[in-house]
mmCIF file of all heavy atoms in Angstrom:
data_model
loop_
_atom_site.group_PDB
_atom_site.id
_atom_site.type_symbol
_atom_site.label_atom_id
_atom_site.label_comp_id
_atom_site.label_asym_id
_atom_site.label_seq_id
_atom_site.Cartn_x
_atom_site.Cartn_y
_atom_site.Cartn_z
ATOM 1 N N GLY T 1 1.263 -10.378 20.671
ATOM 2 C CA GLY T 1 1.680 -10.485 19.359
ATOM 3 C C GLY T 1 2.697 -9.361 18.928
ATOM 4 O O GLY T 1 3.544 -9.544 18.055
ATOM 5 N N THR T 2 2.530 -8.235 19.560
ATOM 6 C CA THR T 2 3.403 -7.070 19.254
ATOM 7 C C THR T 2 4.636 -7.041 20.188
ATOM 8 O O THR T 2 5.679 -6.595 19.747
ATOM 9 C CB THR T 2 2.677 -5.760 19.376
ATOM 10 O OG1 THR T 2 2.128 -5.619 20.749
ATOM 11 C CG2 THR T 2 1.536 -5.656 18.382
ATOM 12 N N ASN T 3 4.499 -7.569 21.400
ATOM 13 C CA ASN T 3 5.584 -7.436 22.381
ATOM 14 C C ASN T 3 6.141 -8.731 22.871
ATOM 15 O O ASN T 3 7.267 -8.766 23.406
ATOM 16 C CB ASN T 3 5.125 -6.641 23.621
ATOM 17 C CG ASN T 3 4.838 -5.175 23.346
ATOM 18 O OD1 ASN T 3 4.291 -4.844 22.315
ATOM 19 N ND2 ASN T 3 5.210 -4.289 24.259
ATOM 20 N N GLY T 4 5.395 -9.831 22.694
ATOM 21 C CA GLY T 4 5.828 -11.108 23.248
ATOM 22 C C GLY T 4 5.647 -11.160 24.730
ATOM 23 O O GLY T 4 5.479 -10.170 25.447
ATOM 24 N N ASN T 5 5.742 -12.392 25.295
ATOM 25 C CA ASN T 5 5.591 -12.600 26.746
ATOM 26 C C ASN T 5 6.148 -13.925 27.125
ATOM 27 O O ASN T 5 5.943 -14.906 26.388
ATOM 28 C CB ASN T 5 4.172 -12.454 27.181
ATOM 29 C CG ASN T 5 4.022 -12.195 28.660
ATOM 30 O OD1 ASN T 5 4.911 -11.574 29.317
ATOM 31 N ND2 ASN T 5 2.991 -12.658 29.260
ATOM 32 N N ARG T 6 6.745 -14.038 28.268
ATOM 33 C CA ARG T 6 7.243 -15.358 28.789
ATOM 34 C C ARG T 6 6.085 -16.340 28.828
ATOM 35 O O ARG T 6 5.026 -16.065 29.315
ATOM 36 C CB ARG T 6 7.859 -15.096 30.164
ATOM 37 C CG ARG T 6 8.300 -16.388 30.861
ATOM 38 C CD ARG T 6 8.868 -16.041 32.239
ATOM 39 N NE ARG T 6 9.285 -17.266 32.948
ATOM 40 C CZ ARG T 6 8.489 -18.069 33.662
ATOM 41 N NH1 ARG T 6 7.191 -17.814 33.720
ATOM 42 N NH2 ARG T 6 8.972 -19.124 34.263
ATOM 43 N N GLY T 7 6.384 -17.548 28.365
ATOM 44 C CA GLY T 7 5.412 -18.659 28.458
ATOM 45 C C GLY T 7 4.309 -18.562 27.380
ATOM 46 O O GLY T 7 3.334 -19.312 27.439
ATOM 47 N N GLN T 8 4.401 -17.610 26.421
ATOM 48 C CA GLN T 8 3.343 -17.455 25.460
ATOM 49 C C GLN T 8 3.920 -17.406 24.035
ATOM 50 O O GLN T 8 3.434 -16.659 23.187
ATOM 51 C CB GLN T 8 2.574 -16.158 25.756
ATOM 52 C CG GLN T 8 1.737 -16.298 27.060
ATOM 53 C CD GLN T 8 0.774 -15.166 27.202
ATOM 54 O OE1 GLN T 8 1.133 -14.044 27.489
ATOM 55 N NE2 GLN T 8 -0.515 -15.443 26.972
ATOM 56 N N ALA T 9 4.911 -18.201 23.782
ATOM 57 C CA ALA T 9 5.546 -18.253 22.452
ATOM 58 C C ALA T 9 4.488 -18.722 21.410
ATOM 59 O O ALA T 9 4.484 -18.165 20.258
ATOM 60 C CB ALA T 9 6.716 -19.239 22.429
ATOM 61 N N VAL T 10 3.678 -19.638 21.696
ATOM 62 C CA VAL T 10 2.715 -20.162 20.769
ATOM 63 C C VAL T 10 1.600 -19.118 20.478
ATOM 64 O O VAL T 10 1.354 -18.768 19.339
ATOM 65 C CB VAL T 10 2.074 -21.493 21.232
ATOM 66 C CG1 VAL T 10 0.989 -21.986 20.264
ATOM 67 C CG2 VAL T 10 3.098 -22.562 21.434
ATOM 68 N N TYR T 11 0.999 -18.646 21.535
ATOM 69 C CA TYR T 11 -0.075 -17.657 21.338
ATOM 70 C C TYR T 11 0.527 -16.346 20.749
ATOM 71 O O TYR T 11 -0.063 -15.818 19.781
ATOM 72 C CB TYR T 11 -0.690 -17.258 22.728
ATOM 73 C CG TYR T 11 -1.769 -16.249 22.671
ATOM 74 C CD1 TYR T 11 -3.053 -16.579 22.187
ATOM 75 C CD2 TYR T 11 -1.528 -14.948 23.112
ATOM 76 C CE1 TYR T 11 -4.036 -15.651 22.134
ATOM 77 C CE2 TYR T 11 -2.519 -13.977 23.032
ATOM 78 C CZ TYR T 11 -3.779 -14.307 22.555
ATOM 79 O OH TYR T 11 -4.824 -13.393 22.539
ATOM 80 N N GLY T 12 1.676 -15.912 21.235
ATOM 81 C CA GLY T 12 2.275 -14.682 20.669
ATOM 82 C C GLY T 12 2.662 -14.867 19.216
ATOM 83 O O GLY T 12 2.490 -13.954 18.430
ATOM 84 N N GLY T 13 3.179 -16.039 18.897
ATOM 85 C CA GLY T 13 3.459 -16.350 17.490
ATOM 86 C C GLY T 13 2.252 -16.293 16.607
ATOM 87 O O GLY T 13 2.320 -15.749 15.456
ATOM 88 N N SER T 14 1.143 -16.864 17.060
ATOM 89 C CA SER T 14 -0.101 -16.862 16.245
ATOM 90 C C SER T 14 -0.598 -15.460 16.041
ATOM 91 O O SER T 14 -1.123 -15.155 14.934
ATOM 92 C CB SER T 14 -1.148 -17.774 16.962
ATOM 93 O OG SER T 14 -1.691 -17.155 18.098
ATOM 94 N N LYS T 15 -0.498 -14.637 17.060
ATOM 95 C CA LYS T 15 -1.034 -13.284 16.954
ATOM 96 C C LYS T 15 -0.026 -12.383 16.162
ATOM 97 O O LYS T 15 -0.479 -11.436 15.460
ATOM 98 C CB LYS T 15 -1.300 -12.683 18.345
ATOM 99 C CG LYS T 15 -2.507 -13.321 19.001
ATOM 100 C CD LYS T 15 -3.740 -13.118 18.260
ATOM 101 C CE LYS T 15 -5.010 -13.571 18.959
ATOM 102 N NZ LYS T 15 -6.244 -13.317 18.246
ATOM 103 N N ALA T 16 1.257 -12.661 16.263
ATOM 104 C CA ALA T 16 2.237 -11.930 15.419
ATOM 105 C C ALA T 16 1.999 -12.210 13.977
ATOM 106 O O ALA T 16 2.115 -11.337 13.088
ATOM 107 C CB ALA T 16 3.648 -12.267 15.845
ATOM 108 N N ALA T 17 1.604 -13.471 13.679
ATOM 109 C CA ALA T 17 1.272 -13.840 12.294
ATOM 110 C C ALA T 17 0.079 -13.096 11.809
ATOM 111 O O ALA T 17 0.001 -12.723 10.641
ATOM 112 C CB ALA T 17 1.064 -15.361 12.228
ATOM 113 N N VAL T 18 -0.903 -12.881 12.677
ATOM 114 C CA VAL T 18 -2.059 -12.092 12.300
ATOM 115 C C VAL T 18 -1.662 -10.658 11.857
ATOM 116 O O VAL T 18 -2.233 -10.112 10.943
ATOM 117 C CB VAL T 18 -3.128 -12.036 13.479
ATOM 118 C CG1 VAL T 18 -4.214 -11.016 13.195
ATOM 119 C CG2 VAL T 18 -3.711 -13.437 13.678
ATOM 120 N N ILE T 19 -0.711 -10.110 12.574
ATOM 121 C CA ILE T 19 -0.269 -8.814 12.238
ATOM 122 C C ILE T 19 0.382 -8.790 10.842
ATOM 123 O O ILE T 19 0.176 -7.892 10.028
ATOM 124 C CB ILE T 19 0.674 -8.274 13.309
ATOM 125 C CG1 ILE T 19 -0.060 -8.040 14.611
ATOM 126 C CG2 ILE T 19 1.400 -7.033 12.838
ATOM 127 C CD1 ILE T 19 0.772 -7.716 15.796
ATOM 128 N N GLY T 20 1.230 -9.809 10.573
ATOM 129 C CA GLY T 20 1.836 -9.920 9.260
ATOM 130 C C GLY T 20 0.827 -10.114 8.156
ATOM 131 O O GLY T 20 0.963 -9.475 7.061
ATOM 132 N N ILE T 21 -0.210 -10.870 8.423
ATOM 133 C CA ILE T 21 -1.297 -11.047 7.476
ATOM 134 C C ILE T 21 -2.009 -9.745 7.267
ATOM 135 O O ILE T 21 -2.322 -9.371 6.109
ATOM 136 C CB ILE T 21 -2.316 -12.125 7.992
ATOM 137 C CG1 ILE T 21 -1.676 -13.532 7.974
ATOM 138 C CG2 ILE T 21 -3.637 -12.139 7.188
ATOM 139 C CD1 ILE T 21 -2.489 -14.576 8.767
ATOM 140 N N THR T 22 -2.261 -8.989 8.345
ATOM 141 C CA THR T 22 -2.980 -7.704 8.194
ATOM 142 C C THR T 22 -2.209 -6.753 7.299
ATOM 143 O O THR T 22 -2.760 -6.136 6.369
ATOM 144 C CB THR T 22 -3.094 -7.071 9.585
ATOM 145 O OG1 THR T 22 -3.873 -7.929 10.448
ATOM 146 C CG2 THR T 22 -3.716 -5.702 9.487
ATOM 147 N N LYS T 23 -0.883 -6.573 7.516
ATOM 148 C CA LYS T 23 -0.112 -5.688 6.757
ATOM 149 C C LYS T 23 -0.023 -6.099 5.241
ATOM 150 O O LYS T 23 -0.027 -5.232 4.364
ATOM 151 C CB LYS T 23 1.247 -5.537 7.369
ATOM 152 C CG LYS T 23 1.262 -4.772 8.700
ATOM 153 C CD LYS T 23 2.631 -4.660 9.362
ATOM 154 C CE LYS T 23 2.599 -3.826 10.593
ATOM 155 N NZ LYS T 23 2.272 -2.445 10.328
ATOM 156 N N SER T 24 0.124 -7.402 5.071
ATOM 157 C CA SER T 24 0.183 -7.918 3.689
ATOM 158 C C SER T 24 -1.098 -7.744 2.896
ATOM 159 O O SER T 24 -1.095 -7.279 1.749
ATOM 160 C CB SER T 24 0.643 -9.347 3.740
ATOM 161 O OG SER T 24 1.954 -9.535 4.246
ATOM 162 N N LEU T 25 -2.234 -8.109 3.599
ATOM 163 C CA LEU T 25 -3.540 -7.922 2.877
ATOM 164 C C LEU T 25 -3.844 -6.482 2.640
ATOM 165 O O LEU T 25 -4.504 -6.190 1.631
ATOM 166 C CB LEU T 25 -4.596 -8.590 3.749
ATOM 167 C CG LEU T 25 -4.695 -10.105 3.788
ATOM 168 C CD1 LEU T 25 -5.852 -10.580 4.633
ATOM 169 C CD2 LEU T 25 -4.788 -10.695 2.405
ATOM 170 N N ALA T 26 -3.425 -5.584 3.566
ATOM 171 C CA ALA T 26 -3.688 -4.150 3.339
ATOM 172 C C ALA T 26 -3.022 -3.690 2.059
ATOM 173 O O ALA T 26 -3.700 -2.934 1.308
ATOM 174 C CB ALA T 26 -3.132 -3.387 4.552
ATOM 175 N N LYS T 27 -1.851 -4.155 1.757
ATOM 176 C CA LYS T 27 -1.172 -3.798 0.567
ATOM 177 C C LYS T 27 -1.784 -4.450 -0.683
ATOM 178 O O LYS T 27 -1.982 -3.838 -1.677
ATOM 179 C CB LYS T 27 0.303 -4.114 0.634
ATOM 180 C CG LYS T 27 1.087 -3.309 1.688
ATOM 181 C CD LYS T 27 2.536 -3.727 1.716
ATOM 182 C CE LYS T 27 3.272 -2.843 2.752
ATOM 183 N NZ LYS T 27 4.696 -3.197 2.897
ATOM 184 N N GLU T 28 -2.227 -5.700 -0.475
ATOM 185 C CA GLU T 28 -2.762 -6.385 -1.654
ATOM 186 C C GLU T 28 -4.150 -5.922 -2.027
ATOM 187 O O GLU T 28 -4.502 -5.823 -3.189
ATOM 188 C CB GLU T 28 -2.859 -7.897 -1.275
ATOM 189 C CG GLU T 28 -3.475 -8.836 -2.348
ATOM 190 C CD GLU T 28 -3.460 -10.248 -1.956
ATOM 191 O OE1 GLU T 28 -2.674 -10.656 -1.088
ATOM 192 O OE2 GLU T 28 -4.305 -10.970 -2.486
ATOM 193 N N LEU T 29 -4.936 -5.583 -1.003
ATOM 194 C CA LEU T 29 -6.358 -5.280 -1.286
ATOM 195 C C LEU T 29 -6.654 -3.751 -1.408
ATOM 196 O O LEU T 29 -7.775 -3.369 -1.712
ATOM 197 C CB LEU T 29 -7.242 -5.893 -0.156
ATOM 198 C CG LEU T 29 -7.147 -7.373 -0.029
ATOM 199 C CD1 LEU T 29 -7.984 -7.871 1.174
ATOM 200 C CD2 LEU T 29 -7.682 -8.091 -1.284
#
């Protein structure tokens, strides 16, 4: 999710989204 990897666009995208959620919720909460 932080670095990406060949053949893992779906998994990497889902985990990159988790990072975005983490940073946003940290500010909100």
Side-chain angles (χ1 to χ4, degrees):
T2 58
N3 291 41
N5 197 33
R6 177 182 179 275
Q8 293 191 286
V10 177
Y11 180 75
S14 71
K15 290 298 187 178
V18 169
I19 292 171
I21 291 168
T22 298
K23 290 180 176 293
S24 296
L25 287 181
K27 293 179 178 180
E28 179 178 336
L29 300 175

